[in-house]
Every structure is written in structure tokens, then in C-alpha cells.
Amino acid sequence: MAVCARLCGVGQSRSCRRRHRGGPGGVVATAGSCRDPTPSTGPPHPESLVDLPPELLVEIFSLLPGTVLPNVALVCRKFRQILNTETIWRKRCMEEFGMNEDLRKMEARGVSSQDLYVKLLHPYRHILGLWQPDIGPYGGLLNVVVDGLFVIGWMYLPPHDPRVEDPMRRRPLFRIHLLDCKKATVECMYGHRGPHKGDIQTVKKDEFSTKCNQTDYHRMPGGRQEEFRTWLEDEWGRTLEEIFHEHMQELILMKFIYTSQYDNCLTYRRIYLPPTMPSDLLKPGLFKGTYGSHGLEIVMLSFHGTSARATKLTGDPNVPAGQLTLDVDLSRPVILPELEQQRKIEELSQIVMRIHDEVQGEAEQQASGASATGRCAAEGACGGSSGAEAEEGDRGAASDSCQSGPEESNHSDDPLPFVLPLGVMARNEVYPRSCRKCFYGTGLIAGHGFTSPERTPGLFVLFDEDRFGFIWLELKSFSLYSRLTDHLDHAHAPSMERFEAMLRNMQSWTS
């Protein structure tokens, strides 16, 4: 602390110049008489940061966050000159934005690290990370990253149906570059005619919008018919003639008409990856899943105590993006019967529906208990002990019912044989033939336009660390989910509270 005080010219070191010298009569010495009259043979001690040699100041300034360096430049001319040193800005680019090899390529093209940081990285740092575009019920997943001289917004698209375990596809929607060294330029990448003029505006915190200034670049010479054919091959990997299901053709055409309305302006809202806890059943994150005629969609798996939840990042006209597609009760494991019995849909339905009836019965008991307690408190007619005993009895019965399942479950992670019941439809016929654990859960179904939504019982099947499935009993359908393995920077939630608040907001965006 004393050394720091001497360097800055404050604190104890400054006050020492006004100390009493031990002369006769207690005469107070002046500031100048504080110095030792004996000439020093060693180097002089610096009294402030300004007195430090430039090379040491470069080391100190390179340790500071880039956001405070403009204020450091206001201190004096010497600091302002030292802050022009490339070493300082190169280190800021590397530590704050993960740039390394790209810096050498950039400097070879005549772009300084300071220009890159001040004109591109710092002004657009708030849009790095994951975002959900506001495209009605369809949603989406946008990842904004730093890539050399560019800040690029990549739209992540699921693989072509039904190849759920294939890698994600990426399409650039916009890019911001610093090729002319004067100012950052925004370009729209939508369409098939190359980059063209665009704009980015910050709407509010955790929200921004993009705008295309040359929408004629999005049009194709063959008109809408050619645009639809190109979009279909890119979106589904096939032609309309190869899709024989009439209902699926209608859904595809509806999506093209709807999403093409957003080719000139889009709004994005920030989303976070779920925090990881030691008690999680598997690592939370993003998964690709099969959704019948709607094709593949992206969901976010997160854990909340004894509940596992899958939230849609992409959606469809029935259940839109942002909604809770799966809600799994991890306190209610399901023991699968022998392999031959698993093939019978009636056998599996009986097991799951037994648990479903228990859950509904407990919910009704809790609701009636809360209602009775409220009436007693309002009327003042019930004795405190009898009401409390009744409520405690209800809780005890519910607790016994919840505990019976886990005690009977297989706690080992040894693979268990698994097969889909006959009559259950699966988009992907290739699915794991062994699983680790199964749990009771509910899935969200609804009519077109998200009408009459309801939660229907089903079976959550954990295959391994990167795959799980869900059997929708009412629909007699099976969804297989596979982990999205892409590395996503600037995407982790600051806290569980912020993550849960984001989930609540996502549901309100598309409700």
C-alpha cells in the first residue's frame, strides 16, 4: 500500500512531506525540507505513476479492461501517447474477445489492434452471444461471434429431417467489418446475391434489430417460385415433389410465406445457456429433436430441482418457440417391463397413466387442502391443531406416494434394454436400443395457432449423455433428441435467477 501511495502521490507518502522534523523547539518543517539533505546515491523513487518509465506503464495499462482505457487517456498527454502502443490493445483483443492468430492477419492488412478494438469490438460487444429472432411461432437461434475482421451473426439451423444426429447447419444473416480502417460497416448477408448494405440498432438492453437497406438483393430472377424452390432445398434438403404427405406440404408452404415477410427487418432477444449444477441428470444445453410433420426443432434442456424442462427455441404453428415442450418429474422414475412387454403400447400406457393419476390426485389434494385452510382462516371456526393435523396428513400421504417410486428404481447407470412399442410412430427409425433411466413427464400439445394447449402424459427416456427421447402416449409418437455440440461463446447465464427470468420472458414473447 505504501509503495502504491508513493507512486500515485497520495496517502501516507504525500503526508510525509508535511511531517514535523525533530529539530529543537518543535519547528514545523516546510514541504521542501522534508527531503534528506544527504544526496542519494541510488535511483530516485517515483512519486506518481507519471514518473514511471514508459515500458512499465505499458505493462500496467495492458492489464486494465479496455472499457476504462479511454478514461486513462484523459489523465495527461503522456498517458494518451502511451495508449497508442499496439501491445496494450493486442492484449485486450486477445483476453476479452479470444483473438490470437487473427490479429497477425489483421495487422498484415494494415489494421491496427487499437482500431479493431475501438471501432469494431468495443462498440458491438453487446450483441455477442445467443439470440432468438422474433419470427412469430417459428423463432430461431442466432449466434453472434468475432471472426477475424468481422463480427458475424450466424443463424443456426437444424439438420435436414430426420437426421437428428447430423451437425447443425449455419447461414450468415449479417456481418460487421473494418476493412477500410475508418469505421465499421454493417452488411446484410440474406439472399443469394452477396453482401449488401444493412443497419443494426440497439432497441433496449438485451435486444437489438437488423435492417436491410437493399431488399432487391433478396429477390431471384425466377420470381417467388424459384425463391421457394431454393428455400425448400436449403430448409428440407428435398423438392416439394419428394414430400408426399399433403399436410406436410401445407406446413412447409405456410412457413415459407410467413418467414419471407421478415427478410428486411428482424428483432432479436438475448438468450442464455442453462447453468450447470452437480446434481443434474446430464449436462444441460441445446438439443435437436424430431417433431413429426414439423421436422426438426431446437430445444433447450435445463434442470430445476427435481424437474427437467425442455423449452423450444424454434417452434411451429401448433406449439410456438418459447413454450415449455417437455416437463419431466425426476422424482418419479419409471421401471420398464421386460423387452417383450415393452412392445405393447397398452403395457407402457398403463404404467405411465398410473403415475399420472397419482400426480393429479396429489394436486387435487393440495388444492383442496389449501382451500380448506383458507376457509378456516377466514371464518375462524376451525381449531388450529385439527387443521394443521389434516394438512400434515395430506402432505404425509403425498410424500409417501412420491418416495415409493425412487426406492424401487434402478439407481445404477448400467444400460437397460429398450424398444419402442408397436404402433408408436418415429421419424427416425434408428434410435438407441438401450437406455439408462426413464421418468414420467408431460408434453405440450395444441391445435393450430396454439389453440387449446394441454399437457399430455408421456415417458422421458435417457439414452446417454448426448441423447434422450420422449414418447407422446396420446399422439403415439416418439421424439428423439441429440445434443448440439457447437462451442458457443458469450452465452452462459450470469446466474440461475437471470436464466429463469429469461425462460419466463420467452414464453410471453410467443404466447
Side-chain angles (χ1 to χ4, degrees), residues 204-217:
K204 56 184 178 181
K205 184 180 180 182
D206 292 337
E207 187 173 320
F208 76 96
S209 64
T210 57
K211 182 180 179 181
C212 176
N213 297 329
Q214 294 176 288
T215 54
D216 56 302
Y217 273 66

Side-chain angles (χ1 to χ4, degrees), residues 38-313:
T38 305
S40 174
T41 58
H45 291 289
E47 296 186 353
S48 69
L49 283 173
V50 181
D51 298 331
L52 291 176
E55 59 272 17
L56 186 54
L57 287 175
V58 168
E59 290 296 322
I60 295 174
F61 293 164
S62 64
L63 299 175
L64 299 176
T67 53
V68 305
L69 293 181
N71 293 331
V72 175
L74 298 176
V75 174
C76 63
R77 181 181 300 176
K78 180 178 180 179
F79 285 7
R80 188 161 57 252
Q81 293 174 342
I82 291 177
L83 283 175
N84 289 325
T85 306
E86 274 291 279
T87 305
I88 299 174
W89 300 101
R90 187 181 299 117
K91 190 168 185 179
R92 289 298 92 221
C93 292
M94 293 171 60
E95 293 189 357
E96 296 181 21
F97 298 97
M99 301 190 69
N100 194 356
E101 294 297 327
D102 292 329
L103 291 177
R104 296 188 181 92
K105 300 177 183 177
M106 173 201 66
E107 291 169 357
R109 301 180 64 170
V111 180
S112 67
S113 298
Q114 183 175 3
D115 283 340
L116 182 69
Y117 189 97
V118 173
K119 298 178 181 179
L120 180 66
L121 300 181
H122 181 71
Y124 291 98
R125 70 192 184 283
H126 60 282
I127 68 170
L128 299 179
L130 294 181
W131 303 83
Q132 186 178 47
D134 184 8
I135 313 180
Y138 297 103
L141 178 64
L142 180 83
N143 186 28
V144 184
V145 300
V146 175
D147 186 2
L149 292 176
F150 300 92
V151 172
I152 303 181
W154 292 100
M155 180 69 84
Y156 275 62
L157 304 173
H160 292 136
D161 179 63
R163 301 193 296 268
V164 67
E165 297 194 41
D166 284 1
M168 295 287 289
R169 296 175 295 127
R170 298 194 309 168
R171 177 191 303 156
L173 289 192
F174 65 85
R175 70 179 186 181
I176 315 166
H177 63 77
L178 195 68
L179 297 180
D180 58 5
C181 305
K182 295 179 181 179
K183 64 176 183 178
T185 302
V186 179
E187 292 179 330
C188 176
M189 303 291 289
Y190 192 86
H192 303 273
R193 296 175 57 186
H196 47 283
K197 293 181 180 179
D199 189 24
I200 289 181
Q201 295 180 345
T202 301
V203 181
K204 56 184 178 181
K205 184 180 180 182
D206 292 337
E207 187 173 320
F208 76 96
S209 64
T210 57
K211 182 180 179 181
C212 176
N213 297 329
Q214 294 176 288
T215 54
D216 56 302
Y217 273 66
H218 303 173
R219 307 282 74 89
M220 300 187 70
R224 297 289 280 175
Q225 186 173 0
E226 183 179 351
E227 291 172 14
F228 174 64
R229 186 183 300 109
T230 303
W231 175 88
L232 182 61
E233 292 178 357
D234 184 47
E235 187 82 8
W236 288 80
R238 64 186 82 172
T239 64
L240 194 63
E241 292 75 21
E242 295 173 325
I243 302 173
F244 302 106
H245 199 291
E246 185 177 350
H247 178 59
M248 184 180 295
Q249 291 181 352
E250 294 175 356
L251 292 172
I252 291 173
L253 183 59
M254 183 189 309
K255 184 175 182 179
F256 170 74
I257 295 174
Y258 193 98
T259 56
S260 60
Q261 302 174 16
Y262 292 85
D263 65 348
N264 65 330
C265 186
L266 266 178
T267 298
Y268 303 86
R269 300 180 180 92
R270 182 178 292 280
I271 57 178
Y272 296 111
L273 292 179
T276 302
M277 304 296 290
S279 59
D280 292 344
L281 182 67
L282 71 159
K283 183 180 178 181
L286 306 183
F287 290 78
K288 306 151 286 182
T290 54
Y291 277 86
S293 299
H294 298 294
L296 300 189
E297 298 184 9
I298 306 173
V299 304
M300 176 185 291
L301 180 69
S302 57
F303 294 91
H304 311 261
T306 59
S307 176
R309 301 171 187 169
T311 304
K312 280 192 171 187
L313 296 186

Side-chain angles (χ1 to χ4, degrees), residues 275-430:
T276 302
M277 304 296 290
S279 59
D280 292 344
L281 182 67
L282 71 159
K283 183 180 178 181
L286 306 183
F287 290 78
K288 306 151 286 182
T290 54
Y291 277 86
S293 299
H294 298 294
L296 300 189
E297 298 184 9
I298 306 173
V299 304
M300 176 185 291
L301 180 69
S302 57
F303 294 91
H304 311 261
T306 59
S307 176
R309 301 171 187 169
T311 304
K312 280 192 171 187
L313 296 186
T314 60
D316 51 69
N318 291 78
V319 178
Q323 297 301 315
L324 182 63
T325 179
L326 302 180
D327 191 0
V328 183
D329 191 343
L330 300 178
S331 67
R332 300 182 186 274
V334 175
I335 303 176
L336 294 177
E338 296 296 328
L339 202 59
E340 285 303 316
Q341 296 299 315
Q342 289 183 34
R343 299 181 184 275
K344 301 177 181 179
I345 185 64
E346 298 81 7
E347 183 75 19
L348 181 62
S349 297
Q350 187 178 8
I351 296 173
V352 175
M353 291 307 298
R354 187 185 304 121
I355 301 176
H356 183 67
D357 293 340
E358 289 179 3
V359 172
Q360 288 187 320
E362 292 172 9
E364 292 173 359
Q365 284 184 0
Q366 292 178 358
S368 61
S371 177
T373 304
R375 287 197 303 271
C376 291
E379 297 171 1
C382 294
S385 59
S386 60
E389 289 171 1
E391 186 177 351
E392 185 66 29
D394 291 340
R395 285 201 303 265
S399 176
D400 292 341
S401 175
C402 289
Q403 291 177 0
S404 61
E407 290 178 357
E408 298 173 356
S409 66
N410 182 9
H411 292 283
S412 68
D413 287 336
D414 295 335
L416 303 172
F418 173 81
V419 65
L420 284 176
L422 296 176
V424 173
M425 297 179 58
R427 297 289 298 171
N428 195 328
E429 297 294 337
V430 181

